[in-house]
Every structure is written in structure tokens, then in C-alpha cells.
């Protein structure tokens, strides 16, 4: 019988671990699906990993990996994909905001021959106004930068083993799972789901973290920001020509001294464009520097006994 692996990135989720493990196990057992649950502790500062080990001691199908420090959600996802041994793998949030009731449906679609089963949010649930605005801004920025509708995709998806193997062969260290799983292609089907309320804890995403996440993923997956440098250069040249013509006109009219504020504005605008351009280029240089160093995506501190043979 085919094995379904469920990868669950976990960061400071001590309130959700046991409940999530029990909920998923119940749903998958009732559906008659052979499963394993792979929790990845992303360097949590609370009791998350101890509870993962407790869940693993109660259910042999529960496995756990713990990072040496916080490496981020993307690293957690790829660590889970590398650890998972299933014929198909689902990636979902540990807090069950991705509804567990959809797992049997996703598995059935996979059995019908689909290689990527993509969950699409039909609603975002009960979120605060500020968080909704931050998330909306994030999706708009990312959609424009990577030329992909971020609202029509999510991290909640099922991947066939062949898709997982392809993702694991990609050499880059700065990964963007949602975009990469779209980029690799394969036979895909989508379904809608409603975001569920968290039973415990609160979201780890703030405006600052969302913006950092957007910038890092945009520069790791798209060259659009670099093209903005060319655009800023063109705008700067146009402004320079326009202000240059204005200065000449004033000179021949005998009022050249009045153009001094114009010169100051020109210097400030051009200087601003240059600094923005250098910042964008610098961000890409930092990405290249990180890739060239060849450091691993993550470092594993420990793992539960039932996966020692796999790592």
C-alpha cells in the first residue's frame, strides 16, 4: 500500500504538536491511508521538540527532526522532503490552519494520477486587519516580481515522489518552495479550502517578517528587481535631459541663477536612484555570495530514533 508522508514545519508550536499529531493520525487511519508524520523543529526556543519526541513515542508513524538553530520555513520544508519516505508527500502548517480534513481528498486525487495537488485559499479565515493588509501586500509584491499569481497557490500541497525527487536535486540554497513547486511543472490539479482558526499560539508572521520573506524569495527566484535598475537609469536620464533643457532655456533668457534649486533637485533624484540601484545589486551580490560559500540549507541537531537510518 502506498505511503503518504505529511511534512510539518514547526517553530515554537508547543501548544499544537500533540493535538496535530493526534488529529492527523485519526483522520488518516479512518480513511485507511498508510502514513507518516514528519515534524521539523526549526530551532524552537520552547518545548516543541520534546513534545515531538513524546508524540513519536506514542505513535511509531510520527518522526521528528530538530535544527541546531532557526533556519526558516523554507529550510524546514526541504528538510522534511528529504526525510520523508512516502510515495507522495503533503506539506502543511503545524497549527492546522491548513484543514486536515482535506488530506483524504488530496490523496484520492493523487491516486487518480495527479502529480501535484495544490490547495488554494478560498478565504483567509478570521485575521486582523493589519495582518490581512500585510499578507495582501506580500502577495501583490511577489506576484509582480515572479510573474506568478501568488493568490492561486499555497504551501499546502501534495507532491508525487517524482516531483519531490526533482526538487531535492535543485542545487540552490536560497529556495522558495511555493514558486519552485510551480516551476517544475508536472500534472497539477487545484482545490479550494478555508483557512482554519489556530487552536493554540499566534501567527509568527509580522509585517517586517513578511517583507523580509518577500524580498529574499523575490531575489532568489526572479531577476525583475535587477531590471528595475535599468528602469531607474532611464528615468534618471529623462529627468536629466528635461532639467538640462530647462537650464539652457533659463540661461539664454538671462535667468540662469534661478535654476540653482533645479540643480539640487537633479542631484538628489539621481543620487537617490543610484543608491536604490546599488541596494538592489548589493542584495543580489549577497545571494551570490551565500550560494558560492556552499553552506548547507540547514544543520540537524537531533532526530527521533525511528529515522536514524535515513539520515
Amino acid at each position: 500500500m502506498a505511503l503518504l508522508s505529511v511534512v510539518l514545519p514547526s517553530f515554537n508550536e508547543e501548544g499544537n504538536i500533540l493535538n496535530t499529531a493526534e488529529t492527523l493520525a485519526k483522520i488518516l487511519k479512518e480513511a485507511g491511508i498508510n502514513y507518516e508524520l514528519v515534524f521539523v523543529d526549526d530551532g524552537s526556543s520552547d518545548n516543541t521538540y520534546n513534545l515531538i519526541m513524546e508524540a513519536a513515542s506514542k505513535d511509531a508513524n510520527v518522526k521528528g527532526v530538530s535544527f541546531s538553530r532557526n533556519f526558516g520555513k523554507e529550510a524546514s520544508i526541504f528538510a522534511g522532503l528529504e526525510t520523508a519516505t512516502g510515495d507522495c508527500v503533503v506539506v502543511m502548517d503545524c497549527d492546522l490552519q491548513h484543514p486536515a480534513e482535506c488530506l483524504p481528498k488530496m490523496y484520492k486525487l493523487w491516486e487518480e494520477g495527479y502529480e501535484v495537488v495544490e490547495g488554494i485559499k478560498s478565504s483567509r479565515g478570521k485575521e486582523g486587519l493589519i495582518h490581512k493588509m500585510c499578507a495582501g501586500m506580500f502577495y501583490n509584491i511577489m506576484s509582480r516580481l515572479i510573474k506568478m499569481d501568488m493568490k492561486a497557490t499555497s504551501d499546502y500541497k501534495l507532491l508525487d515522489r517524482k516531483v519531490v525527487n526533482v526538487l531535492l536535486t535543485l542545487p540552490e540554497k536560497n529556495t522558495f518552495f511555493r514558486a519552485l513547486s510551480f516551476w517544475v511543472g508536472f500534472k497539477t490539479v487545484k482545490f479550494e479550502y478555508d483557512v482554519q482558526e489556530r487552536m493554540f499560539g499566534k501567527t509568527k508572521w509580522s509585517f517586517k517578517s513578511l517583507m523580509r520573506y518577500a524580498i529574499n524569495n523575490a531575489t532568489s527566484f526572479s531577476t525583475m528587481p535587477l531590471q528595475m535598475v535599468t528602469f531607474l537609469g532611464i528615468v534618471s536620464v529623462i529627468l536629466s535631459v528635461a532639467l538640462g533643457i530647462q537650464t539652457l532655456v533659463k540661461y539664454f533668457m538671462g535667468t540662469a541663477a534661478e535654476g540653482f534649486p533645479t540643480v539640487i533637485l537633479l542631484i538628489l533624484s539621481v543620487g537617490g536612484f543610484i543608491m536604490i540601484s546599488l541596494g538592489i545589486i548589493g542584495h543580489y551580490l549577497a545571494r551570490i555570495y551565500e550560494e558560492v560559500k556552499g553552506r548547507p540549507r540547514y544543520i540537524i541537531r537531533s532526530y527521533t530514533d525511528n529515522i536514524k537510518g535515513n539520515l
Side-chain angles (χ1 to χ4, degrees), residues 7 9 73-74 77 89-93 98 106 117-121 138-139 150 152-159 176-181 193 205 213 217:
V7 172
K73 185 177 182 179
E74 294 295 316
I77 291 175
V89 181
V90 169
V91 175
M92 66 182 296
D93 289 347
H98 292 154
M106 298 170 75
V117 181
E118 182 99 43
I120 308 298
K121 297 175 183 177
F138 167 75
Y139 286 130
M150 287 292 294
T153 183
S154 74
D155 288 333
Y156 189 28
K157 62 185 68 183
L158 178 147
L159 306 174
F176 185 17
F177 171 70
R178 193 179 303 189
L180 286 175
S181 57
Y193 69 90
W205 295 104
Y213 187 64
N217 288 330

XYZ file of all heavy atoms in Angstrom, residues 7 9 73-74 77 89-93 98 106 117-121 138-139 150 152-159 176-181 193 205 213 217:
324
model
N 4.614 16.483 5.886
C 5.713 17.296 6.413
C 5.130 18.505 7.132
O 4.310 19.248 6.569
C 6.648 17.752 5.274
C 7.677 18.759 5.788
C 7.344 16.547 4.655
N 6.469 21.757 9.133
C 7.434 22.697 9.715
C 6.888 23.254 11.028
O 5.719 23.651 11.105
C 7.527 23.801 8.646
C 7.054 23.150 7.378
C 5.999 22.180 7.811
N 11.392 28.713 7.438
C 10.378 27.771 6.965
C 10.823 27.029 5.716
O 10.550 25.831 5.565
C 9.062 28.501 6.706
C 7.926 27.566 6.332
C 6.611 28.298 6.141
C 5.491 27.315 5.803
N 4.189 27.990 5.624
N 11.490 27.729 4.793
C 11.908 27.088 3.548
C 12.855 25.923 3.839
O 12.715 24.836 3.270
C 12.594 28.109 2.636
C 11.691 29.202 2.138
C 10.584 28.679 1.237
O 10.854 27.847 0.368
O 9.418 29.105 1.432
N 10.903 22.980 5.263
C 10.163 22.227 4.245
C 11.089 21.264 3.524
O 10.766 20.080 3.349
C 9.487 23.188 3.248
C 8.346 23.944 3.928
C 8.972 22.431 2.026
C 7.705 25.012 3.059
N 3.946 13.187 -0.864
C 4.254 13.996 0.317
C 3.356 15.224 0.351
O 3.230 15.931 -0.652
C 5.732 14.447 0.326
C 6.033 15.265 1.572
C 6.662 13.249 0.221
N 2.739 15.464 1.502
C 1.947 16.681 1.712
C 2.733 17.612 2.621
O 3.290 17.175 3.627
C 0.576 16.364 2.356
C -0.116 17.654 2.810
C -0.313 15.614 1.379
N 2.787 18.881 2.257
C 3.380 19.911 3.116
C 2.239 20.748 3.672
O 1.388 21.227 2.915
C 4.356 20.813 2.335
C 4.867 21.946 3.222
C 5.518 19.995 1.790
N 2.183 20.901 4.983
C 1.109 21.673 5.600
C 1.598 22.320 6.892
O 2.624 21.927 7.457
C -0.111 20.787 5.874
C 0.103 19.702 6.910
S -1.361 18.659 7.140
C -2.559 19.838 7.777
N 0.851 23.322 7.363
C 1.214 24.031 8.584
C 0.929 23.177 9.814
O -0.080 22.463 9.879
C 0.443 25.345 8.695
C 0.915 26.378 7.687
O 1.990 26.169 7.084
O 0.211 27.393 7.502
N -4.164 24.826 7.789
C -4.436 24.037 6.602
C -5.315 22.871 7.068
O -4.874 22.044 7.867
C -3.150 23.494 5.980
C -2.282 24.557 5.392
N -0.918 24.428 5.249
C -2.585 25.788 4.889
C -0.425 25.521 4.692
N -1.416 26.357 4.469
N -7.018 14.946 -1.104
C -5.764 15.150 -1.829
C -5.152 13.808 -2.227
O -4.662 13.637 -3.353
C -4.783 15.943 -0.954
C -5.284 17.335 -0.590
S -4.269 18.164 0.682
C -2.832 18.619 -0.279
N -1.036 18.261 -6.202
C -2.389 18.636 -5.781
C -2.248 19.909 -4.965
O -1.719 19.903 -3.853
C -3.052 17.526 -4.946
C -4.470 17.948 -4.556
C -3.080 16.216 -5.728
N -2.707 21.015 -5.520
C -2.457 22.346 -4.984
C -3.668 22.886 -4.237
O -4.770 22.961 -4.773
C -2.130 23.299 -6.137
C -1.813 24.707 -5.725
C -0.325 24.960 -5.685
O 0.384 24.528 -6.596
O 0.118 25.600 -4.717
N -3.463 23.264 -2.974
C -4.522 23.881 -2.194
C -4.580 25.378 -2.424
O -3.555 26.054 -2.385
N -5.779 25.903 -2.684
C -5.974 27.334 -2.914
C -6.902 27.876 -1.833
O -7.972 27.320 -1.591
C -6.609 27.615 -4.299
C -5.803 26.914 -5.394
C -6.689 29.115 -4.543
C -4.390 27.384 -5.508
N -6.511 28.973 -1.195
C -7.328 29.567 -0.136
C -8.564 30.234 -0.726
O -8.456 31.148 -1.534
C -6.516 30.606 0.642
C -5.312 30.034 1.380
C -4.507 31.146 2.026
C -3.268 30.585 2.711
N -2.420 31.648 3.293
N 2.184 41.453 0.561
C 3.170 40.414 0.245
C 2.807 39.702 -1.054
O 3.645 39.549 -1.950
C 3.245 39.411 1.400
C 3.976 38.144 1.063
C 5.352 38.124 0.968
C 3.280 36.962 0.838
C 6.027 36.953 0.649
C 3.943 35.791 0.531
C 5.317 35.789 0.438
N 1.557 39.269 -1.177
C 1.135 38.548 -2.379
C 1.216 39.428 -3.617
O 1.603 38.956 -4.695
C -0.290 38.021 -2.203
C -0.385 36.831 -1.279
C -1.315 36.793 -0.236
C 0.470 35.745 -1.427
C -1.394 35.708 0.623
C 0.401 34.666 -0.572
C -0.533 34.638 0.445
O -0.600 33.572 1.293
N 0.350 34.630 -6.846
C 0.596 34.017 -5.547
C -0.700 33.687 -4.809
O -0.719 32.856 -3.906
C 1.444 34.951 -4.687
C 2.887 35.034 -5.121
S 3.770 33.491 -4.851
C 3.750 33.423 -3.069
N -3.109 32.233 -6.149
C -3.614 30.996 -6.736
C -2.708 29.814 -6.398
O -2.686 28.807 -7.104
C -3.742 31.141 -8.259
N -1.951 29.956 -5.309
C -1.088 28.865 -4.868
C -0.882 28.989 -3.366
O -1.216 30.004 -2.762
C 0.271 28.905 -5.599
O 1.064 27.787 -5.203
C 1.012 30.186 -5.271
N -0.356 27.949 -2.739
C -0.084 27.987 -1.304
C 0.960 26.924 -0.980
O 1.351 26.125 -1.843
C -1.365 27.724 -0.496
O -1.727 26.358 -0.562
N 1.411 26.906 0.278
C 2.352 25.874 0.707
C 1.635 24.554 0.987
O 2.289 23.528 1.189
C 3.095 26.321 1.971
C 4.109 27.412 1.683
O 4.601 27.468 0.543
O 4.401 28.213 2.587
N 0.313 24.588 1.046
C -0.474 23.379 1.332
C -0.670 22.620 0.030
O -1.518 22.968 -0.793
C -1.815 23.773 1.932
C -2.649 22.620 2.463
C -2.060 21.454 2.923
C -4.040 22.708 2.513
C -2.816 20.402 3.424
C -4.814 21.671 3.022
C -4.189 20.519 3.470
O -4.949 19.485 3.963
N 0.134 21.586 -0.167
C 0.042 20.842 -1.417
C 0.584 19.432 -1.256
O 1.349 19.134 -0.332
C 0.800 21.558 -2.527
C 2.288 21.724 -2.296
C 2.915 22.549 -3.407
C 2.452 23.976 -3.368
N 2.977 24.800 -4.456
N 0.147 18.567 -2.150
C 0.639 17.198 -2.205
C 1.528 17.065 -3.427
O 1.183 17.525 -4.516
C -0.521 16.204 -2.281
C -0.161 14.710 -2.384
C -1.206 13.846 -1.670
C -0.024 14.256 -3.842
N 2.675 16.404 -3.245
C 3.627 16.195 -4.328
C 3.890 14.709 -4.507
O 4.115 13.985 -3.528
C 4.951 16.901 -4.029
C 4.896 18.394 -3.699
C 6.275 18.882 -3.293
C 4.374 19.191 -4.881
N 12.558 28.873 -2.667
C 11.209 29.393 -2.496
C 10.272 28.265 -2.918
O 9.937 28.112 -4.087
C 11.009 30.642 -3.351
C 9.679 31.321 -3.157
C 8.885 31.065 -2.053
C 9.222 32.243 -4.088
C 7.663 31.686 -1.865
C 7.998 32.886 -3.918
C 7.225 32.601 -2.810
N 9.885 27.448 -1.940
C 9.152 26.212 -2.205
C 7.913 26.423 -3.055
O 7.657 25.699 -4.012
C 8.773 25.554 -0.871
C 7.838 24.387 -1.018
C 8.266 23.195 -1.580
C 6.517 24.470 -0.582
C 7.410 22.119 -1.720
C 5.649 23.407 -0.715
C 6.094 22.223 -1.290
N 7.122 27.424 -2.721
C 5.858 27.644 -3.417
C 6.078 27.917 -4.904
O 5.346 27.398 -5.757
C 5.096 28.796 -2.783
C 3.658 28.900 -3.224
C 2.950 30.052 -2.544
N 2.992 29.970 -1.094
C 2.307 30.769 -0.291
N 1.521 31.706 -0.808
N 2.393 30.647 1.017
N 7.088 28.706 -5.216
C 7.373 29.031 -6.608
C 8.088 27.878 -7.318
O 7.814 27.592 -8.484
C 8.218 30.298 -6.688
N 8.999 27.203 -6.622
C 9.738 26.103 -7.238
C 8.817 24.936 -7.583
O 8.969 24.303 -8.636
C 10.852 25.626 -6.306
C 12.064 26.549 -6.188
C 13.033 26.016 -5.140
C 12.767 26.692 -7.537
N 7.854 24.646 -6.709
C 6.921 23.548 -6.991
C 6.010 23.898 -8.165
O 5.495 23.014 -8.848
C 6.088 23.218 -5.747
O 5.377 24.355 -5.289
N -9.868 25.593 -0.246
C -10.083 25.273 1.161
C -10.211 26.559 1.956
O -9.737 27.620 1.532
C -8.939 24.416 1.714
C -7.620 25.142 1.845
C -7.285 25.817 3.026
C -6.689 25.155 0.799
C -6.081 26.484 3.157
C -5.486 25.816 0.926
C -5.186 26.479 2.097
O -3.995 27.139 2.233
N 4.090 35.523 11.706
C 4.346 36.441 10.605
C 3.910 37.858 10.954
O 2.746 38.109 11.205
C 3.612 35.974 9.343
C 4.111 34.667 8.808
C 3.506 33.451 8.923
C 5.318 34.437 8.076
N 4.253 32.484 8.322
C 5.373 33.053 7.797
C 6.354 35.265 7.648
C 6.437 32.488 7.092
C 7.409 34.690 6.947
C 7.443 33.326 6.671
N 10.664 38.167 3.986
C 10.388 36.923 3.264
C 10.154 37.214 1.775
O 10.649 36.490 0.902
C 9.152 36.268 3.886
C 8.811 34.891 3.380
C 9.669 33.811 3.586
C 7.609 34.651 2.720
C 9.344 32.543 3.144
C 7.269 33.385 2.276
C 8.134 32.338 2.493
O 7.805 31.086 2.045
N 12.731 35.924 -1.161
C 12.218 34.988 -2.157
C 12.213 35.592 -3.551
O 12.436 34.896 -4.544
C 10.801 34.540 -1.775
C 10.799 33.606 -0.584
O 11.750 32.861 -0.379
N 9.754 33.647 0.216
